[in-house]
Amino acid sequence: LKHPAPHQRLREPAFLLYCFPRLPSKMFAARLLRATKMVVGVGVKDVEGSRAAMKKAISFAQTGDKIIAVHVPGVVPELLLSSMSDPGEAGDDALEALTKLPTKAGTKTQAMIKEVAEAEIASRGISVDVDYKVAAPSSDVKSGLLAACKYEGANLLVMGPGEGGNGSIPPYAAANARGLTVCIVRDHLK
């Protein structure tokens, strides 16, 4: 009988069970590949997609995992501010309200997502830590979301498909994400 080469022996299930006798090989592989820190992209234009993404992230999660719902607001376009006849007459309060409008909309959207998350966690009976964050406004929301994932140290980004199922952020994230897996949830579309 010819013995297999040493590097081939490493791939045999018997060898894996010998080295890790308490873990079956499938369970061992799943545990290594499982993401423990997930970021859910929350968007104001795609609330249904954000809800579906949160549900999917919770379905992926196991007890002890961490999910972070992140909204990256866009900055107020200069065209809007320049279209005002005299910005000086508007006053500081009006300008401040205009510039904080995207952040407030993101906070309201996250409140809706929080309700969905709490209901889903309760129905599954698991213990998952969920945080809700609004990032600093960015002129480039696409790269801002990926930067937030990198900052959080995420292994997995879960997001909806965008407005009408055809947004520009999900394909950008799938093409440009480095060091994390991107999951675009389209389950809710018909």
Side-chain angles (χ1 to χ4, degrees), residues 112-143:
M112 290 188 285
I113 301 300
K114 187 174 186 177
E115 292 173 12
V116 170
E118 289 172 353
E120 190 71 17
I121 290 171
S123 71
R124 293 191 180 271
I126 58 174
S127 174
V128 178
D129 185 25
V130 182
D131 290 338
Y132 303 90
K133 297 183 178 181
V134 177
S138 174
S139 60
D140 185 13
V141 175
K142 299 172 187 178
S143 61

Side-chain angles (χ1 to χ4, degrees), residues 3-92:
H3 294 286
H7 69 281
Q8 291 174 339
R9 205 178 94 186
L10 294 175
R11 296 184 183 153
E12 293 178 331
F15 180 77
L16 287 173
L17 288 175
Y18 175 75
C19 291
F20 307 101
R22 295 185 184 164
L23 294 175
S25 61
K26 290 181 182 177
M27 183 177 158
F28 178 72
R31 184 69 182 160
L32 285 178
L33 297 175
R34 185 175 61 83
T36 57
K37 198 174 223 185
M38 299 176 233
V39 169
V40 176
V42 176
V44 176
K45 294 180 182 176
D46 185 25
V47 177
E48 286 304 312
S50 299
R51 288 180 182 172
M54 180 57 81
K55 286 182 180 180
K56 186 61 78 174
I58 292 170
S59 74
F60 287 160
Q62 295 182 6
T63 300
D65 286 352
K66 185 169 186 175
I67 299 173
I68 305 162
V70 176
H71 172 67
V72 181
V75 294
V76 176
E78 288 183 32
L79 182 64
L80 178 66
L81 294 175
S82 65
S83 67
M84 297 173 68
S85 59
D86 187 14
E89 290 178 9
D92 293 336

